[in-house]
Amino acid sequence: MSLGSLEVYSETHTPSLPLSLKSGSLTQDAVKANFAMFFAKLGLNSTGTSPATGVERFIFVLGGELTLDVVGENAPVQLTYNDYAYLPPGQEHSLSTSSEASLLVFERRYAGQVFRLRKLVPQTPAYDFNIHIMDFSPGEHLNVKEMHYNQHGLLLLAGKGIYRLNEDWHAVQAGDVIWMAPYVPQWYAALGTQPTRYLIYKDTTLDPLETPWLGQGAAASACGCAARSCNAA
């Protein structure tokens, strides 16, 4: 279980995507959504239980107060405005109120981490890029096809696999180098019988609104992806 509380800010934020609200559900009409997002309004002396088996849950309190009782914890926890709690799959718990409470709830079936990630550079404002080591067992792959404004530089250190860059598929092996331009769809799967390890660079403080060449969008930058073998003769 993870608990916390956010600071209060005066700004208001408009969702970047339209949301459909029906019976409290914000993702009901989003056919491809792999999670549930909904409002829950708990009345006086309401109770709630754990989600279905294998489902993780995140609760954010929009108003009121409720009690979270987690099996195995020493004592129940009181959650009020701006407090939140993460409940991993299989963590039995109950919610109860002595007055009304309003919640925003996220639930999804736990997919797990498909790779091991080690960050080599501190995650502080003094550093404007990341260097990661990523390890995949044979057959493991990224759960999603990524696309973002960050650039990547990658060196495959061990193993082999298949890397998708835009609509192109590249067979890669240890010693191969890949550069990924902003907004290029990317995906990886480890093949063969040996684990895969690669080192990857990612810039983190690049402002997409103040970098003119990024404004060309995905179609233009799709030409800016490349895979090169350092093993080729």
Side-chain angles (χ1 to χ4, degrees):
M1 177 180 66
S2 176
L3 300 171
S5 182
L6 297 184
E7 297 179 13
V8 178
Y9 294 92
S10 60
E11 294 93 337
T12 58
H13 300 276
T14 302
S16 58
L17 296 175
L19 299 176
S20 175
L21 176 58
K22 291 186 177 180
S23 301
S25 174
L26 297 171
T27 53
Q28 181 170 316
D29 288 350
V31 177
K32 295 184 179 181
N34 66 348
F35 66 95
M37 176 182 180
F38 58 92
F39 290 126
K41 189 171 182 62
L42 306 180
L44 183 66
N45 297 322
S46 296
T47 59
T49 58
S50 304
T53 301
V55 173
E56 54 191 331
R57 170 183 281 173
F58 180 88
I59 300 167
F60 185 84
V61 182
L62 299 172
E65 182 177 340
L66 72 152
T67 300
L68 171 63
D69 193 356
V70 178
V71 175
E73 297 291 331
N74 293 330
V77 178
Q78 296 299 120
L79 300 178
T80 60
Y81 172 66
N82 251 9
D83 288 345
Y84 60 87
Y86 168 74
L87 292 311
Q91 187 161 65
E92 295 295 323
H93 62 277
S94 63
L95 303 169
S96 60
T97 63
S98 57
S99 60
E100 292 186 347
S102 298
L103 311 176
L104 175 63
V105 182
F106 293 90
E107 292 181 351
R108 63 163 285 170
R109 189 162 298 281
Y110 182 72
Q113 180 74 290
V114 298
F115 56 83
R116 277 69 59 200
L117 183 148
R118 184 152 47 101
K119 299 179 179 180
L120 305 185
V121 177
Q123 309 295 292
T124 65
Y127 299 85
D128 64 352
F129 66 89
N130 297 154
I131 299 291
H132 297 167
I133 295 290
M134 298 174 67
D135 290 289
F136 295 77
S137 296
E140 290 183 334
H141 56 83
L142 295 174
N143 275 334
V144 296
K145 180 175 65 176
E146 298 182 352
M147 186 172 71
H148 42 63
Y149 70 84
N150 311 88
Q151 295 186 80
H152 284 317
L154 181 151
L155 171 64
L156 203 69
L157 299 173
K160 62 182 179 179
I162 187 80
Y163 227 108
R164 177 180 177 176
L165 301 174
N166 198 31
E167 297 302 323
D168 298 321
W169 299 80
H170 301 271
V172 292
Q173 61 182 343
D176 286 350
V177 175
I178 301 175
W179 169 63
M180 286 166 267
Y183 303 114
V184 172
Q186 53 195 256
W187 179 85
Y188 178 74
L191 304 179
T193 59
Q194 301 299 317
T196 290
R197 167 173 287 184
Y198 60 68
L199 183 149
I200 187 167
Y201 159 95
K202 179 178 75 171
D203 44 30
T204 57
T205 59
L206 193 63
D207 189 337
L209 300 180
E210 296 183 1
T211 310
W213 67 277
L214 291 182
Q216 300 172 21
S221 62
C223 299
C225 53
R228 181 172 67 86
S229 174
C230 296
N231 298 315

